[in-house]
Amino acid sequence: MIKKRFTIYARNLKSLMLSIVMNIFQNNTYKVNRGIAKGLRRKGGLGFVPSYSKQTNEDSFLIEQQSLLENKIVYDIGANNGLFSLFFARAVGPKGQVLAIEPNPACFKQLSDNISINNFSNVRACKFAIGKDNYSDTMAFSKLYMGQGSLDTTIKERTLKSKTSSVIDIEVFSLDYLIKNKNYPIPDFIKIDVEGLENDVLVGMKEIIKEYKPQIFLENHGATVKEKVNNIESIIEILSNNGYNIHHIETRQTIEKHNAAQAKEGHIYCT
């Protein structure tokens, strides 16, 4: 019991110290020296600190795809502070377009600031969430980790147990609705990182998937291992039924219905 309490205390202390440091540098503007946005400018964060850690699988894979994104329409669903949106903006070039979608107001401000300081005119920032339908909802998030806000019921319940948690009201729209009724462009490539709502996003773009079959890069989430497995099995079911070839980035395996659980952690690329 003492060891468990000490572990929780140490984790909370680490989170608090990180939050303090992040707040100190929140208005600091600098050139990113590592990661997916290397060479671009950003506001806030600790991207100016030297790091000798290995590049993430996510970053490595997308960087390899960079030349294939030229002139494309990219949706960054769950854009957070915009680092991936900046990468996509550079990759698609002036003739392409990026739709950066982020409902959390604090993250949305960082996203907008980062777009502005890089003078990207090919990025449209959108302050709402993508889901299976159009509705209003509440998002729960930790004030220490703003980018981990979620609409997933179990993740929200877990988040709200923390003393650092908060909630905000947000609007949710399906991608099918936005493209068919609000003249949003047809996507060539979609990145999805939505903290447990991945299945809902896919359900809400079933007509786009059926008619246009955009490439999809998705990170799977869930509050527990069981929920991660259930989530990825549902995701693979939808994508397989629509003729997608699915590749798990971390294990380099081809994923089908029978081995969907192998992709419960990490990212899948679907073509």
Side-chain angles (χ1 to χ4, degrees):
M1 180 64 71
I2 294 176
K3 182 179 179 180
K4 182 178 180 181
R5 287 180 178 177
F6 178 79
T7 300
I8 295 173
Y9 172 78
R11 183 168 63 243
N12 290 338
L13 180 61
K14 180 181 178 181
S15 297
L16 177 60
M17 294 302 296
L18 178 61
S19 177
I20 292 171
V21 172
M22 294 288 280
N23 285 331
I24 291 173
F25 293 104
Q26 64 179 338
N27 293 315
N28 184 33
T29 300
Y30 55 92
K31 183 179 287 188
V32 180
N33 65 18
R34 66 178 188 269
I36 196 76
K38 183 177 180 179
L40 296 169
R41 295 178 62 77
R42 70 171 289 187
K43 185 176 181 180
L46 301 174
F48 59 90
V49 178
S51 174
Y52 302 98
S53 59
K54 185 179 179 181
Q55 188 165 254
T56 67
N57 292 317
E58 182 179 22
D59 286 5
S60 297
F61 178 81
L62 288 174
I63 289 169
E64 289 175 1
Q65 303 298 309
Q66 183 168 346
S67 63
L68 303 178
L69 295 172
E70 187 175 4
N71 301 330
K72 302 297 186 182
I73 303 296
V74 174
Y75 278 69
D76 186 359
I77 301 177
N80 197 354
N81 58 17
L83 295 189
F84 284 92
S85 298
L86 299 182
F87 164 79
F88 289 130
R90 178 168 58 185
V92 303
K95 293 183 180 180
Q97 186 180 8
V98 178
L99 286 296
I101 300 171
E102 176 53 54
N104 186 313
C107 294
F108 183 81
K109 184 180 184 309
Q110 293 179 326
L111 164 67
S112 300
D113 286 344
N114 287 330
I115 294 169
S116 178
I117 61 178
N118 284 280
N119 297 313
F120 281 128
S121 60
N122 60 347
V123 186
R124 177 178 177 181
C126 309
K127 193 167 68 171
F128 50 76
I130 298 295
K132 63 183 178 181
D133 207 344
N134 304 335
Y135 59 97
S136 299
D137 204 344
T138 57
M139 170 180 279
F141 61 93
S142 167
K143 294 176 183 178
L144 300 180
Y145 297 101
M146 298 291 288
Q148 295 182 2
S150 181
L151 299 177
D152 178 83
T153 301
T154 307
I155 295 178
K156 283 203 292 187
E157 289 176 354
R158 183 181 65 184
T159 300
L160 291 173
K161 291 179 181 178
S162 169
K163 294 180 180 180
T164 64
S165 66
S166 185
V167 295
I168 53 173
D169 296 324
I170 64 168
E171 295 298 319
V172 184
F173 300 98
S174 75
L175 200 57
D176 282 343
Y177 169 79
L178 292 175
I179 290 172
K180 291 189 175 183
N181 297 282
K182 294 298 181 180
N183 297 317
Y184 277 64
I186 296 165
D188 298 302
F189 183 100
I190 302 175
K191 168 188 160 285
I192 303 173
D193 184 357
V194 290
E195 301 293 333
L197 212 68
E198 297 80 20
N199 188 65
D200 280 11
V201 171
L202 293 177
V203 170
M205 55 182 277
K206 60 184 178 182
E207 296 302 322
I208 298 303
I209 287 176
K210 183 178 179 179
E211 188 169 355
Y212 301 105
K213 200 181 177 185
Q215 296 176 36
I216 296 172
F217 184 79
L218 180 150
E219 181 172 358
N220 189 50
H221 294 275
T224 64
V225 172
K226 182 179 180 180
E227 289 192 11
K228 289 179 181 179
V229 171
N230 290 340
N231 198 29
I232 197 64
E233 288 180 342
S234 180
I235 288 167
I236 301 305
E237 177 84 16
I238 292 171
L239 295 173
S240 295
N241 288 347
N242 282 278
Y244 275 91
N245 295 312
I246 305 167
H247 175 74
H248 186 228
I249 302 303
E250 281 71 17
T251 63
R252 301 183 179 180
Q253 290 188 68
T254 296
I255 300 297
E256 299 176 350
K257 294 178 184 179
H258 69 88
N259 67 340
Q262 296 298 316
K264 66 182 181 296
E265 302 280 355
H267 307 78
I268 56 173
Y269 176 56
C270 317
T271 59

PDB file of all heavy atoms in Angstrom, residues 193-220:
ATOM      1  N   ASP A 193      -6.952  10.875 -34.400  1.00  0.00           N
ATOM      2  CA  ASP A 193      -6.390  10.688 -33.057  1.00  0.00           C
ATOM      3  C   ASP A 193      -7.355  11.341 -32.079  1.00  0.00           C
ATOM      4  O   ASP A 193      -7.233  12.523 -31.755  1.00  0.00           O
ATOM      5  CB  ASP A 193      -4.999  11.326 -32.971  1.00  0.00           C
ATOM      6  CG  ASP A 193      -4.337  11.073 -31.621  1.00  0.00           C
ATOM      7  OD1 ASP A 193      -4.967  10.467 -30.738  1.00  0.00           O
ATOM      8  OD2 ASP A 193      -3.184  11.499 -31.436  1.00  0.00           O
ATOM      9  N   VAL A 194      -8.360  10.571 -31.632  1.00  0.00           N
ATOM     10  CA  VAL A 194      -9.489  11.169 -30.929  1.00  0.00           C
ATOM     11  C   VAL A 194      -9.797  10.512 -29.579  1.00  0.00           C
ATOM     12  O   VAL A 194     -10.934  10.585 -29.093  1.00  0.00           O
ATOM     13  CB  VAL A 194     -10.746  11.165 -31.823  1.00  0.00           C
ATOM     14  CG1 VAL A 194     -10.589  12.159 -32.967  1.00  0.00           C
ATOM     15  CG2 VAL A 194     -11.030   9.775 -32.389  1.00  0.00           C
ATOM     16  N   GLU A 195      -8.808   9.876 -28.966  1.00  0.00           N
ATOM     17  CA  GLU A 195      -8.920   9.411 -27.583  1.00  0.00           C
ATOM     18  C   GLU A 195     -10.175   8.585 -27.315  1.00  0.00           C
ATOM     19  O   GLU A 195     -10.956   8.871 -26.420  1.00  0.00           O
ATOM     20  CB  GLU A 195      -8.872  10.609 -26.621  1.00  0.00           C
ATOM     21  CG  GLU A 195      -7.623  11.454 -26.714  1.00  0.00           C
ATOM     22  CD  GLU A 195      -6.358  10.720 -26.261  1.00  0.00           C
ATOM     23  OE1 GLU A 195      -6.490   9.803 -25.426  1.00  0.00           O
ATOM     24  OE2 GLU A 195      -5.272  11.063 -26.756  1.00  0.00           O
ATOM     25  N   GLY A 196     -10.367   7.534 -28.112  1.00  0.00           N
ATOM     26  CA  GLY A 196     -11.446   6.591 -27.844  1.00  0.00           C
ATOM     27  C   GLY A 196     -12.674   6.721 -28.725  1.00  0.00           C
ATOM     28  O   GLY A 196     -13.551   5.853 -28.691  1.00  0.00           O
ATOM     29  N   LEU A 197     -12.764   7.770 -29.523  1.00  0.00           N
ATOM     30  CA  LEU A 197     -13.946   7.996 -30.360  1.00  0.00           C
ATOM     31  C   LEU A 197     -13.702   7.584 -31.819  1.00  0.00           C
ATOM     32  O   LEU A 197     -14.451   7.963 -32.706  1.00  0.00           O
ATOM     33  CB  LEU A 197     -14.355   9.465 -30.293  1.00  0.00           C
ATOM     34  CG  LEU A 197     -15.853   9.757 -30.412  1.00  0.00           C
ATOM     35  CD1 LEU A 197     -16.595   9.237 -29.191  1.00  0.00           C
ATOM     36  CD2 LEU A 197     -16.112  11.252 -30.581  1.00  0.00           C
ATOM     37  N   GLU A 198     -12.664   6.785 -32.054  1.00  0.00           N
ATOM     38  CA  GLU A 198     -12.276   6.430 -33.422  1.00  0.00           C
ATOM     39  C   GLU A 198     -13.410   5.753 -34.194  1.00  0.00           C
ATOM     40  O   GLU A 198     -13.653   6.067 -35.365  1.00  0.00           O
ATOM     41  CB  GLU A 198     -11.051   5.492 -33.395  1.00  0.00           C
ATOM     42  CG  GLU A 198      -9.800   6.104 -32.804  1.00  0.00           C
ATOM     43  CD  GLU A 198      -9.787   6.105 -31.287  1.00  0.00           C
ATOM     44  OE1 GLU A 198     -10.532   5.311 -30.673  1.00  0.00           O
ATOM     45  OE2 GLU A 198      -9.034   6.911 -30.707  1.00  0.00           O
ATOM     46  N   ASN A 199     -14.097   4.825 -33.533  1.00  0.00           N
ATOM     47  CA  ASN A 199     -15.177   4.104 -34.197  1.00  0.00           C
ATOM     48  C   ASN A 199     -16.299   5.060 -34.621  1.00  0.00           C
ATOM     49  O   ASN A 199     -16.831   4.959 -35.731  1.00  0.00           O
ATOM     50  CB  ASN A 199     -15.726   3.024 -33.271  1.00  0.00           C
ATOM     51  CG  ASN A 199     -16.713   2.114 -33.956  1.00  0.00           C
ATOM     52  OD1 ASN A 199     -16.372   1.380 -34.871  1.00  0.00           O
ATOM     53  ND2 ASN A 199     -17.964   2.170 -33.519  1.00  0.00           N
ATOM     54  N   ASP A 200     -16.639   5.996 -33.743  1.00  0.00           N
ATOM     55  CA  ASP A 200     -17.681   6.977 -34.068  1.00  0.00           C
ATOM     56  C   ASP A 200     -17.305   7.827 -35.275  1.00  0.00           C
ATOM     57  O   ASP A 200     -18.144   8.135 -36.121  1.00  0.00           O
ATOM     58  CB  ASP A 200     -17.934   7.900 -32.869  1.00  0.00           C
ATOM     59  CG  ASP A 200     -18.827   7.257 -31.814  1.00  0.00           C
ATOM     60  OD1 ASP A 200     -19.068   6.032 -31.914  1.00  0.00           O
ATOM     61  OD2 ASP A 200     -19.272   7.974 -30.904  1.00  0.00           O
ATOM     62  N   VAL A 201     -16.036   8.227 -35.342  1.00  0.00           N
ATOM     63  CA  VAL A 201     -15.567   9.035 -36.477  1.00  0.00           C
ATOM     64  C   VAL A 201     -15.762   8.274 -37.780  1.00  0.00           C
ATOM     65  O   VAL A 201     -16.258   8.825 -38.779  1.00  0.00           O
ATOM     66  CB  VAL A 201     -14.087   9.430 -36.295  1.00  0.00           C
ATOM     67  CG1 VAL A 201     -13.545  10.071 -37.575  1.00  0.00           C
ATOM     68  CG2 VAL A 201     -13.931  10.396 -35.130  1.00  0.00           C
ATOM     69  N   LEU A 202     -15.417   6.983 -37.783  1.00  0.00           N
ATOM     70  CA  LEU A 202     -15.547   6.167 -38.990  1.00  0.00           C
ATOM     71  C   LEU A 202     -17.015   5.961 -39.370  1.00  0.00           C
ATOM     72  O   LEU A 202     -17.376   6.017 -40.546  1.00  0.00           O
ATOM     73  CB  LEU A 202     -14.862   4.816 -38.799  1.00  0.00           C
ATOM     74  CG  LEU A 202     -13.334   4.857 -38.650  1.00  0.00           C
ATOM     75  CD1 LEU A 202     -12.799   3.449 -38.382  1.00  0.00           C
ATOM     76  CD2 LEU A 202     -12.671   5.448 -39.876  1.00  0.00           C
ATOM     77  N   VAL A 203     -17.865   5.744 -38.376  1.00  0.00           N
ATOM     78  CA  VAL A 203     -19.300   5.577 -38.643  1.00  0.00           C
ATOM     79  C   VAL A 203     -19.862   6.850 -39.278  1.00  0.00           C
ATOM     80  O   VAL A 203     -20.694   6.793 -40.191  1.00  0.00           O
ATOM     81  CB  VAL A 203     -20.067   5.236 -37.349  1.00  0.00           C
ATOM     82  CG1 VAL A 203     -21.579   5.312 -37.567  1.00  0.00           C
ATOM     83  CG2 VAL A 203     -19.681   3.843 -36.858  1.00  0.00           C
ATOM     84  N   GLY A 204     -19.385   7.999 -38.813  1.00  0.00           N
ATOM     85  CA  GLY A 204     -19.871   9.276 -39.321  1.00  0.00           C
ATOM     86  C   GLY A 204     -19.297   9.682 -40.669  1.00  0.00           C
ATOM     87  O   GLY A 204     -19.648  10.735 -41.205  1.00  0.00           O
ATOM     88  N   MET A 205     -18.418   8.855 -41.227  1.00  0.00           N
ATOM     89  CA  MET A 205     -17.879   9.139 -42.563  1.00  0.00           C
ATOM     90  C   MET A 205     -18.054   7.937 -43.493  1.00  0.00           C
ATOM     91  O   MET A 205     -17.322   7.755 -44.454  1.00  0.00           O
ATOM     92  CB  MET A 205     -16.401   9.536 -42.470  1.00  0.00           C
ATOM     93  CG  MET A 205     -15.518   8.543 -41.763  1.00  0.00           C
ATOM     94  SD  MET A 205     -13.776   9.089 -41.616  1.00  0.00           S
ATOM     95  CE  MET A 205     -13.175   8.586 -43.236  1.00  0.00           C
ATOM     96  N   LYS A 206     -19.075   7.122 -43.213  1.00  0.00           N
ATOM     97  CA  LYS A 206     -19.274   5.891 -43.981  1.00  0.00           C
ATOM     98  C   LYS A 206     -19.549   6.170 -45.458  1.00  0.00           C
ATOM     99  O   LYS A 206     -19.117   5.397 -46.328  1.00  0.00           O
ATOM    100  CB  LYS A 206     -20.399   5.059 -43.366  1.00  0.00           C
ATOM    101  CG  LYS A 206     -21.762   5.746 -43.302  1.00  0.00           C
ATOM    102  CD  LYS A 206     -22.771   4.868 -42.577  1.00  0.00           C
ATOM    103  CE  LYS A 206     -24.118   5.581 -42.469  1.00  0.00           C
ATOM    104  NZ  LYS A 206     -25.114   4.748 -41.723  1.00  0.00           N
ATOM    105  N   GLU A 207     -20.242   7.263 -45.755  1.00  0.00           N
ATOM    106  CA  GLU A 207     -20.514   7.583 -47.161  1.00  0.00           C
ATOM    107  C   GLU A 207     -19.246   8.045 -47.874  1.00  0.00           C
ATOM    108  O   GLU A 207     -19.020   7.718 -49.036  1.00  0.00           O
ATOM    109  CB  GLU A 207     -21.603   8.654 -47.257  1.00  0.00           C
ATOM    110  CG  GLU A 207     -22.946   8.217 -46.716  1.00  0.00           C
ATOM    111  CD  GLU A 207     -23.481   6.978 -47.426  1.00  0.00           C
ATOM    112  OE1 GLU A 207     -23.293   6.860 -48.653  1.00  0.00           O
ATOM    113  OE2 GLU A 207     -24.084   6.119 -46.748  1.00  0.00           O
ATOM    114  N   ILE A 208     -18.417   8.804 -47.171  1.00  0.00           N
ATOM    115  CA  ILE A 208     -17.136   9.252 -47.742  1.00  0.00           C
ATOM    116  C   ILE A 208     -16.224   8.057 -47.987  1.00  0.00           C
ATOM    117  O   ILE A 208     -15.558   7.955 -49.024  1.00  0.00           O
ATOM    118  CB  ILE A 208     -16.462  10.273 -46.798  1.00  0.00           C
ATOM    119  CG1 ILE A 208     -17.351  11.517 -46.647  1.00  0.00           C
ATOM    120  CG2 ILE A 208     -15.078  10.656 -47.313  1.00  0.00           C
ATOM    121  CD1 ILE A 208     -17.682  12.211 -47.955  1.00  0.00           C
ATOM    122  N   ILE A 209     -16.196   7.151 -47.020  1.00  0.00           N
ATOM    123  CA  ILE A 209     -15.386   5.929 -47.170  1.00  0.00           C
ATOM    124  C   ILE A 209     -15.861   5.129 -48.378  1.00  0.00           C
ATOM    125  O   ILE A 209     -15.058   4.682 -49.213  1.00  0.00           O
ATOM    126  CB  ILE A 209     -15.459   5.072 -45.891  1.00  0.00           C
ATOM    127  CG1 ILE A 209     -14.644   5.715 -44.760  1.00  0.00           C
ATOM    128  CG2 ILE A 209     -14.974   3.654 -46.150  1.00  0.00           C
ATOM    129  CD1 ILE A 209     -14.743   4.989 -43.438  1.00  0.00           C
ATOM    130  N   LYS A 210     -17.164   4.942 -48.479  1.00  0.00           N
ATOM    131  CA  LYS A 210     -17.737   4.134 -49.549  1.00  0.00           C
ATOM    132  C   LYS A 210     -17.491   4.742 -50.927  1.00  0.00           C
ATOM    133  O   LYS A 210     -17.151   4.040 -51.888  1.00  0.00           O
ATOM    134  CB  LYS A 210     -19.240   3.960 -49.315  1.00  0.00           C
ATOM    135  CG  LYS A 210     -19.940   3.078 -50.331  1.00  0.00           C
ATOM    136  CD  LYS A 210     -21.409   2.927 -49.984  1.00  0.00           C
ATOM    137  CE  LYS A 210     -22.130   2.056 -51.014  1.00  0.00           C
ATOM    138  NZ  LYS A 210     -23.578   1.891 -50.673  1.00  0.00           N
ATOM    139  N   GLU A 211     -17.643   6.067 -51.027  1.00  0.00           N
ATOM    140  CA  GLU A 211     -17.567   6.719 -52.336  1.00  0.00           C
ATOM    141  C   GLU A 211     -16.156   7.099 -52.749  1.00  0.00           C
ATOM    142  O   GLU A 211     -15.793   7.000 -53.920  1.00  0.00           O
ATOM    143  CB  GLU A 211     -18.457   7.971 -52.333  1.00  0.00           C
ATOM    144  CG  GLU A 211     -18.611   8.617 -53.696  1.00  0.00           C
ATOM    145  CD  GLU A 211     -19.686   9.684 -53.723  1.00  0.00           C
ATOM    146  OE1 GLU A 211     -20.385   9.865 -52.696  1.00  0.00           O
ATOM    147  OE2 GLU A 211     -19.827  10.341 -54.775  1.00  0.00           O
ATOM    148  N   TYR A 212     -15.324   7.530 -51.778  1.00  0.00           N
ATOM    149  CA  TYR A 212     -14.010   8.080 -52.131  1.00  0.00           C
ATOM    150  C   TYR A 212     -12.824   7.292 -51.576  1.00  0.00           C
ATOM    151  O   TYR A 212     -11.703   7.455 -52.051  1.00  0.00           O
ATOM    152  CB  TYR A 212     -13.917   9.539 -51.658  1.00  0.00           C
ATOM    153  CG  TYR A 212     -14.979  10.415 -52.262  1.00  0.00           C
ATOM    154  CD1 TYR A 212     -16.076  10.837 -51.506  1.00  0.00           C
ATOM    155  CD2 TYR A 212     -14.910  10.820 -53.591  1.00  0.00           C
ATOM    156  CE1 TYR A 212     -17.063  11.640 -52.056  1.00  0.00           C
ATOM    157  CE2 TYR A 212     -15.897  11.624 -54.151  1.00  0.00           C
ATOM    158  CZ  TYR A 212     -16.972  12.028 -53.369  1.00  0.00           C
ATOM    159  OH  TYR A 212     -17.944  12.825 -53.919  1.00  0.00           O
ATOM    160  N   LYS A 213     -13.047   6.494 -50.550  1.00  0.00           N
ATOM    161  CA  LYS A 213     -12.010   5.661 -49.936  1.00  0.00           C
ATOM    162  C   LYS A 213     -10.703   6.426 -49.701  1.00  0.00           C
ATOM    163  O   LYS A 213      -9.657   6.093 -50.255  1.00  0.00           O
ATOM    164  CB  LYS A 213     -11.737   4.429 -50.798  1.00  0.00           C
ATOM    165  CG  LYS A 213     -11.058   3.300 -50.024  1.00  0.00           C
ATOM    166  CD  LYS A 213     -10.783   2.106 -50.919  1.00  0.00           C
ATOM    167  CE  LYS A 213     -10.043   1.028 -50.177  1.00  0.00           C
ATOM    168  NZ  LYS A 213      -9.661  -0.099 -51.066  1.00  0.00           N
ATOM    169  N   PRO A 214     -10.734   7.462 -48.855  1.00  0.00           N
ATOM    170  CA  PRO A 214      -9.492   8.184 -48.536  1.00  0.00           C
ATOM    171  C   PRO A 214      -8.528   7.306 -47.755  1.00  0.00           C
ATOM    172  O   PRO A 214      -8.947   6.367 -47.062  1.00  0.00           O
ATOM    173  CB  PRO A 214      -9.987   9.351 -47.666  1.00  0.00           C
ATOM    174  CG  PRO A 214     -11.244   8.833 -47.046  1.00  0.00           C
ATOM    175  CD  PRO A 214     -11.883   7.965 -48.093  1.00  0.00           C
ATOM    176  N   GLN A 215      -7.245   7.598 -47.838  1.00  0.00           N
ATOM    177  CA  GLN A 215      -6.268   6.925 -46.985  1.00  0.00           C
ATOM    178  C   GLN A 215      -6.515   7.351 -45.537  1.00  0.00           C
ATOM    179  O   GLN A 215      -6.846   8.513 -45.278  1.00  0.00           O
ATOM    180  CB  GLN A 215      -4.858   7.302 -47.401  1.00  0.00           C
ATOM    181  CG  GLN A 215      -4.481   6.856 -48.803  1.00  0.00           C
ATOM    182  CD  GLN A 215      -3.110   7.334 -49.208  1.00  0.00           C
ATOM    183  OE1 GLN A 215      -2.196   7.399 -48.391  1.00  0.00           O
ATOM    184  NE2 GLN A 215      -2.956   7.674 -50.478  1.00  0.00           N
ATOM    185  N   ILE A 216      -6.337   6.424 -44.609  1.00  0.00           N
ATOM    186  CA  ILE A 216      -6.619   6.701 -43.199  1.00  0.00           C
ATOM    187  C   ILE A 216      -5.424   6.290 -42.346  1.00  0.00           C
ATOM    188  O   ILE A 216      -4.912   5.176 -42.472  1.00  0.00           O
ATOM    189  CB  ILE A 216      -7.882   5.959 -42.727  1.00  0.00           C
ATOM    190  CG1 ILE A 216      -9.115   6.464 -43.492  1.00  0.00           C
ATOM    191  CG2 ILE A 216      -8.084   6.128 -41.220  1.00  0.00           C
ATOM    192  CD1 ILE A 216     -10.373   5.643 -43.229  1.00  0.00           C
ATOM    193  N   PHE A 217      -5.004   7.208 -41.481  1.00  0.00           N
ATOM    194  CA  PHE A 217      -3.938   6.935 -40.510  1.00  0.00           C
ATOM    195  C   PHE A 217      -4.555   7.139 -39.136  1.00  0.00           C
ATOM    196  O   PHE A 217      -4.958   8.254 -38.790  1.00  0.00           O
ATOM    197  CB  PHE A 217      -2.763   7.883 -40.732  1.00  0.00           C
ATOM    198  CG  PHE A 217      -1.585   7.610 -39.836  1.00  0.00           C
ATOM    199  CD1 PHE A 217      -0.702   6.586 -40.119  1.00  0.00           C
ATOM    200  CD2 PHE A 217      -1.357   8.392 -38.708  1.00  0.00           C
ATOM    201  CE1 PHE A 217       0.394   6.330 -39.297  1.00  0.00           C
ATOM    202  CE2 PHE A 217      -0.277   8.143 -37.876  1.00  0.00           C
ATOM    203  CZ  PHE A 217       0.605   7.112 -38.183  1.00  0.00           C
ATOM    204  N   LEU A 218      -4.657   6.082 -38.335  1.00  0.00           N
ATOM    205  CA  LEU A 218      -5.470   6.114 -37.115  1.00  0.00           C
ATOM    206  C   LEU A 218      -4.698   5.566 -35.929  1.00  0.00           C
ATOM    207  O   LEU A 218      -4.029   4.540 -36.026  1.00  0.00           O
ATOM    208  CB  LEU A 218      -6.745   5.297 -37.365  1.00  0.00           C
ATOM    209  CG  LEU A 218      -7.773   5.155 -36.257  1.00  0.00           C
ATOM    210  CD1 LEU A 218      -9.178   4.993 -36.872  1.00  0.00           C
ATOM    211  CD2 LEU A 218      -7.480   3.965 -35.341  1.00  0.00           C
ATOM    212  N   GLU A 219      -4.822   6.260 -34.793  1.00  0.00           N
ATOM    213  CA  GLU A 219      -4.275   5.764 -33.528  1.00  0.00           C
ATOM    214  C   GLU A 219      -5.411   5.226 -32.681  1.00  0.00           C
ATOM    215  O   GLU A 219      -6.412   5.913 -32.451  1.00  0.00           O
ATOM    216  CB  GLU A 219      -3.533   6.857 -32.765  1.00  0.00           C
ATOM    217  CG  GLU A 219      -2.928   6.359 -31.458  1.00  0.00           C
ATOM    218  CD  GLU A 219      -2.017   7.361 -30.772  1.00  0.00           C
ATOM    219  OE1 GLU A 219      -1.816   8.459 -31.323  1.00  0.00           O
ATOM    220  OE2 GLU A 219      -1.498   7.033 -29.685  1.00  0.00           O
ATOM    221  N   ASN A 220      -5.268   3.985 -32.214  1.00  0.00           N
ATOM    222  CA  ASN A 220      -6.324   3.355 -31.417  1.00  0.00           C
ATOM    223  C   ASN A 220      -6.188   3.728 -29.941  1.00  0.00           C
ATOM    224  O   ASN A 220      -5.083   3.847 -29.416  1.00  0.00           O
ATOM    225  CB  ASN A 220      -6.255   1.833 -31.562  1.00  0.00           C
ATOM    226  CG  ASN A 220      -7.449   1.152 -30.936  1.00  0.00           C
ATOM    227  OD1 ASN A 220      -8.593   1.519 -31.203  1.00  0.00           O
ATOM    228  ND2 ASN A 220      -7.213   0.147 -30.114  1.00  0.00           N
TER     229      ASN A 220
END
